[in-house]
Amino acid sequence: MTDQDAPEDAGGLVATMTGFARTLRAAGVAADHDRTQSLLAALAHLDVTDRAAVYWAGRLTLCATPDDLPRYDRCFAAYFSGRRATLARTAVTSVTRHLAAREDPGGEEDGSEDATAAPATASRAEVLRHRDVARLTEAERAEVHRLLALLRDRRARRRSRRFESAHRGALDRRRTIREALRKGEVARLRRREHASRPRTVVLFVDVSGSMAPYAETLLRFAHALVMSEPRATRVYSVGTRLTPVTAELRHRDPGTALNEASKVIPDWSGGTRLGEELREYLTRFSARGAIVVIASDGWERGDPGLLAAQMARLSRQAYRIIWVNPHKGYEDYQPLTGGMRAALPYIDDLVAGHSLAAYEQLSERLAHA
């Protein structure tokens, strides 16, 4: 950055960097108000005429995920080389789609003159799918929740003990004989096969303090599962107590369902004693043949040995155990917490749970488990 690029005073610096953050948001980077303030605080200790110093200060404070880095580089090069006005059109491919309940910033960032459609970019929509829900703005989180409500679970199926009529399969002697007695002759051999039914999913959602940024979104995902297969989905909140919330999540409206569930959950933002709660579940209920999904970061306040013992019991009953950890979405994640180390030998799949894309992938996993 040259001397002429530098603002003359603090007010000019704020205006320049706020404009840069606005450009980043238009390109899909999570440069929200808090991150912009962090950048300004960092620049107060740096030489703002040093282009490299400004670049690294912005990169470290304004980027939330690895996907943001190439967009940040394009925006930085364009903004500080005088090509700010054309950035939104040259960096990404524009499309038009209608968004529900989305705040209109006034159209000044993208230059759109069409008030009848909500302009967006293909990259912005894609970035939103991969953004950590803990870092979203209220408007972005509302959009993710709206998309989760549209998610339909294509559940894997299992063979039932019951039979149903079929064109092929084993001979159905009873139906064949009954029809022969009614008609006086064997006109047709009736056949049957085992019916299929959706495999039951038992979902445990950690609502402890460490999971607070993700708990609501996970419960909305649980609501989508219940709406898709209400008779084959069981949902429990876990923290310091095991609380069934399946009935509350059967309300068709997601907001109403979440409100009802929050009324019966007594341990929001508390600790996690997953070992004790799994022991209670296995004493009162059964997970035989079910897909068990545990959504937790593994910060266990109880005895890890107890958790390991209950996970071993659970693994003998469940068809499959999937552990959803929001931190798994980051490349440098290692399952080092006591709870994760205790549970890991009994987990079939350890998957991410931090973004809309992660929930979509989890839904696909449930369809092919």
Side-chain angles (χ1 to χ4, degrees):
M1 187 177 297
T2 62
D3 292 340
Q4 57 265 34
D5 290 330
E8 296 180 358
D9 52 26
L13 174 64
V14 171
T16 298
M17 303 317 296
T18 301
F20 177 49
R22 187 181 301 115
T23 300
L24 289 172
R25 289 196 297 273
V29 178
D32 56 19
H33 174 75
D34 291 339
R35 290 182 177 277
T36 304
Q37 292 302 311
S38 298
L39 170 62
L40 293 173
L43 292 178
H45 301 281
L46 299 173
D47 179 6
V48 296
T49 64
D50 184 346
R51 183 185 181 93
V54 174
Y55 168 86
W56 283 107
R59 178 169 168 145
L60 292 172
T61 57
L62 299 177
C63 295
T65 69
D67 292 336
D68 290 342
L69 299 181
R71 298 183 181 90
Y72 175 86
D73 289 343
R74 291 196 299 267
C75 290
F76 188 91
Y79 189 88
F80 290 106
S81 62
R83 292 185 285 113
R84 177 184 179 187
T86 60
L87 175 62
R89 291 175 176 80
T90 59
V92 294
T93 302
S94 294
V95 297
T96 299
R97 64 190 185 95
H98 297 276
L99 301 179
R102 183 165 180 251
E103 295 181 2
D104 182 9
E108 57 197 37
E109 295 179 11
D110 54 19
S112 173
E113 298 179 356
D114 186 359
T116 62
T121 62
S123 66
R124 182 179 178 84
E126 185 64 17
V127 166
L128 185 61
R129 290 182 61 250
H130 294 276
R131 289 271 306 280
D132 190 325
V133 296
R135 298 178 180 272
L136 298 180
T137 65
E138 289 299 321
E140 291 170 334
R141 187 175 291 108
E143 175 66 5
V144 167
H145 290 170
R146 186 188 71 84
L147 295 173
L148 275 177
L150 300 176
L151 187 65
R152 288 297 173 261
D153 173 34
R154 297 182 294 105
R155 189 74 56 83
R157 304 187 72 83
R158 63 179 298 185
R159 192 175 76 163
S160 170
R161 293 182 180 180
R162 298 190 177 188
F163 289 90
E164 61 183 10
S165 60
H167 295 292
R168 297 179 180 179
L171 177 64
D172 189 339
R173 295 183 177 86
R174 291 185 178 181
R175 289 187 62 211
T176 301
I177 293 173
R178 283 200 302 267
E179 186 174 281
L181 292 175
R182 187 171 63 252
K183 294 183 177 181
E185 63 178 349
V186 178
R188 179 182 177 185
L189 294 177
R190 296 292 180 175
R191 299 190 176 277
R192 67 177 187 174
E193 64 180 5
H194 281 280
S196 65
R197 61 181 181 181
R199 191 172 289 278
T200 299
V201 167
V202 180
L203 173 59
F204 298 97
V205 179
D206 187 343
V207 295
S208 65
S210 62
M211 285 290 292
Y214 304 97
E216 180 183 355
T217 304
L218 283 164
L219 285 171
R220 287 182 178 268
F221 175 73
H223 175 261
L225 296 186
V226 171
M227 287 295 96
S228 297
E229 294 291 350
R231 302 178 69 178
T233 306
R234 304 289 182 268
V235 184
Y236 300 85
S237 72
V238 293
T240 57
R241 294 179 58 182
L242 178 73
T243 306
V245 293
T246 310
E248 288 72 19
L249 293 178
R250 285 187 176 138
H251 289 275
R252 184 169 296 277
D253 177 67
T256 302
L258 266 291
N259 287 337
E260 293 299 314
S262 65
K263 293 177 183 178
V264 301
I265 297 176
D267 50 350
W268 282 102
S269 299
T272 307
R273 298 186 180 278
L274 189 56
E276 297 175 11
E277 291 160 330
L278 287 180
R279 180 174 60 186
E280 179 184 353
Y281 173 83
L282 292 169
T283 300
R284 298 170 54 190
F285 310 106
S286 173
R288 193 165 303 282
I291 302 172
V292 176
V293 180
I294 302 174
S296 174
D297 55 5
W299 285 99
E300 173 70 7
R301 291 183 60 182
D303 179 12
L306 175 61
L307 176 57
Q310 301 311 309
M311 287 294 296
R313 287 180 62 192
L314 185 63
S315 67
R316 290 192 291 269
Q317 290 189 14
Y319 174 76
R320 196 169 193 85
I321 298 178
I322 302 174
W323 192 293
V324 181
N325 190 320
H327 306 303
K328 181 64 169 62
Y330 295 93
E331 294 182 358
D332 59 349
Y333 170 74
Q334 295 291 331
L336 301 179
T337 62
M340 289 306 309
R341 290 201 305 268
L344 202 58
Y346 310 101
I347 296 172
D348 295 296
D349 301 295
L350 176 59
V351 301
H354 68 302
S355 66
L356 176 61
Y359 298 130
E360 292 171 344
Q361 292 167 7
L362 176 57
S363 181
E364 285 296 315
R365 192 176 292 272
L366 294 177
H368 299 98

